[in-house]
Amino acid sequence: DEMFAKGLATMVKAVDYLTQFAPVDIIGVAGNHDTVLSFSAVEALKYRFWNNANVVVFNPPSTPRKYYKFHNTLIGYTHGDRNKPQDLPLIMAVEAKHDFADTDHHYFHIGHLHHNMVKDYQGIQVAVLPSLTKPDNWHKAAGFLSKPQAVLNIFHPTKGKEGQLIVSK
């Protein structure tokens, strides 16, 4: 499919670019409509960068939520279609209890709702990340008219989230 090939080529270019500045860790998070395609795209990245010591790919297929420890920060990832945002902090504390206890800063990133929003639940931020894709006819009919955007969060090794860059299409 042309869209898959274009998306994969864009991801390869992005990873190639980013590895010029720092190591890149890729965390695969499946969507609710494209489970196989999103898993396959991240697997393709894993094989494309197989011999690159600056690229690590984490893509277990059967894990609905993934956790990434960055120094003093724990970040959870899930698509967001199966859990209520307010439940994610407690789910994180249970599923990733050792990393949770070992870190001072906790965040969860979800994408299902396709708009930019951050809510704090007892000190744990749950961020709904926007999508770069334009609303299709179904989204337009349902009134979901968010502007295409991407969010880059910047984390400090000891202070947690330190900044954010928003890119609009």
Side-chain angles (χ1 to χ4, degrees), residues 24-40:
V24 174
D25 293 344
I26 299 168
I27 300 149
V29 179
N32 61 328
H33 297 288
D34 66 345
T35 307
V36 173
L37 280 178
S38 54
F39 173 78
S40 300

Side-chain angles (χ1 to χ4, degrees), residues 101-165:
D102 196 38
T103 52
D104 290 331
H105 309 286
H106 307 97
Y107 305 88
F108 226 109
H109 293 161
I110 62 176
H112 180 65
L113 300 174
H114 297 227
H115 61 272
N116 193 8
M117 180 180 77
V118 177
K119 182 132 175 142
D120 190 279
Y121 297 99
Q122 301 299 324
I124 299 172
Q125 288 186 6
V126 177
V128 178
L129 302 176
S131 172
L132 272 174
T133 59
K134 293 180 182 174
D136 58 17
N137 287 335
W138 184 92
H139 287 90
K140 288 177 185 175
F144 302 133
L145 305 172
S146 296
K147 294 185 181 190
Q149 291 183 325
V151 172
L152 170 71
N153 289 302
I154 302 163
F155 292 92
H156 186 274
T158 59
K159 296 189 263 183
K161 185 174 171 184
E162 194 169 53
Q164 185 178 77
L165 175 65

